[in-house]
Amino acid sequence: MEKIIEAFTGITPEGKKSRVPAKLDKLLTATGVILAIFMMGHMFFVSTILLGKDAMYTVTKAFELDFIFDGGLPIIVSIFVAIITAILVLHAILGIRKFPTSYKAYIKIKEHAKMMKHQDTSLWMFQWISGLIMMFLVSIHLYIMFTQPQNIGPYTSSYRVVNENMWLLYMVLLICVELHGSIGLYRAAMKWGWFDGENPKETRLKMLKAKKYLSFFFLTLGTITLLAYMKIGIERYDHQPMKYNPNNYQQEIINK
């Protein structure tokens, strides 16, 4: 209990300033950067559908290590998802320390941000709100990926998006995740002064512009990608969720 109080207040039981909050902030940044980089890679992975069904299928099987194990092992994906989930849970626990502890605290922060009209403060508010939304929605996606790694592919993923109405969840996640990640990278760079150089103010403006470009790029890519899966799903709406067969372009029913 004393450690928890020390983490939130920054004061040791002896009344001295503690280094624990700073260490936790560094861990929060580290896990956030890892997750942000992962999400960028994840977006490029799912967007391979824009290059064609074969491209998406090939990348999917590569994640299953089919170049080592004949046909691939979907459980490899489950293990990878479990690792990402553990990092995400740790990041969420560390991030909760930054959340308002009550409605009154939220109102004070909101009024403070409105009075200051400070862009970085507004970005921080969006970040913790989007983080709260993601805590609930990401768990659904990760659970599906963990328990059904064999159902990742051009047809099965499209089926899930359309027939199981997951497009709505993915659209909300796209907005929250991409903006949360880009804002997080920007705020981390500003907080720790990674690229300050000789003129920190000028660097801040450049980093803010880079954040906007990054957000626009991934939101656009994500939207186009989701529409591509929806198109395939709508075309195959009356079909069963069948695996994609790149060899003869025929549909192969999943062996259960």
Side-chain angles (χ1 to χ4, degrees):
M1 179 59 71
E2 291 180 350
K3 287 294 183 181
I4 296 176
I5 295 175
E6 186 177 344
F8 275 84
T9 65
I11 304 297
T12 66
E14 295 77 20
K16 299 180 180 179
K17 289 185 178 181
S18 172
R19 294 183 178 180
V20 172
K23 292 179 180 179
L24 294 180
D25 276 356
K26 289 183 178 180
L27 186 56
L28 175 65
T29 299
T31 53
V33 170
I34 291 173
L35 290 171
I37 293 175
F38 164 75
M39 285 312 306
M40 291 179 189
H42 177 271
M43 180 53 68
F44 284 124
F45 157 57
V46 297
S47 66
T48 53
I49 193 68
L50 300 176
L51 301 177
K53 301 182 186 71
D54 281 1
M56 197 272 182
Y57 178 84
T58 299
V59 174
T60 300
K61 301 308 290 184
F63 276 107
E64 296 178 4
L65 302 183
D66 72 326
F67 51 88
I68 298 177
F69 307 100
D70 186 30
L73 295 176
I75 193 173
I76 300 296
V77 176
S78 294
I79 294 173
F80 189 69
V81 171
I83 294 173
I84 292 300
T85 301
I87 297 175
L88 180 64
V89 170
L90 177 59
H91 183 72
I93 292 174
L94 294 169
I96 287 175
R97 298 182 304 115
K98 305 292 185 178
F99 284 18
T101 55
S102 66
Y103 179 71
K104 288 184 177 180
Y106 164 73
I107 292 299
K108 288 182 179 180
I109 293 173
K110 184 178 180 180
E111 291 177 348
H112 181 69
K114 185 177 181 180
M115 178 186 67
M116 289 184 63
K117 296 181 180 179
H118 188 246
Q119 189 172 26
D120 283 18
T121 302
S122 300
L123 289 176
W124 174 79
M125 289 190 67
F126 176 83
Q127 196 173 30
W128 72 257
I129 292 173
S130 62
L132 186 63
I133 296 173
M134 288 162 52
M135 285 173 60
F136 295 97
L137 299 188
V138 169
S139 60
I140 299 174
H141 176 62
L142 289 176
Y143 178 78
I144 293 174
M145 295 300 99
F146 179 76
T147 58
Q148 303 177 37
Q150 74 280 5
N151 289 337
I152 300 176
Y155 288 162
T156 48
S157 295
S158 298
Y159 181 91
R160 181 166 53 251
V161 168
V162 175
N163 293 63
E164 298 179 2
N165 296 310
M166 292 295 286
W167 63 269
L168 181 57
L169 181 141
Y170 290 151
M171 179 56 72
V172 176
L173 272 181
L174 171 64
I175 297 172
C176 290
V177 171
E178 299 306 333
L179 291 180
H180 186 92
S182 60
I183 292 172
L185 289 175
Y186 162 74
R187 294 188 66 246
M190 292 299 98
K191 181 174 183 176
W192 302 107
W194 293 337
F195 309 104
D196 277 356
E198 297 180 356
N199 191 336
K201 290 185 178 180
E202 183 179 346
T203 299
R204 177 183 173 278
L205 294 176
K206 290 181 179 179
M207 293 296 295
L208 189 59
K209 184 179 292 187
K211 184 214 75 66
K212 292 179 180 178
Y213 288 148
L214 195 66
S215 297
F216 177 78
F217 173 77
F218 280 105
L219 283 174
T220 301
L221 179 62
T223 301
I224 296 173
T225 298
L226 183 57
L227 290 174
Y229 283 106
M230 291 177 68
K231 179 178 181 295
I232 296 174
I234 292 172
E235 291 173 348
R236 297 176 47 81
Y237 187 80
D238 295 329
H239 294 69
Q240 297 183 44
M242 301 174 179
K243 283 188 176 180
Y244 180 70
N245 189 335
N247 296 321
N248 54 17
Y249 297 96
Q250 297 297 317
Q251 303 163 359
E252 180 179 325
I253 299 179
I254 299 176
N255 296 318
K256 297 185 178 180

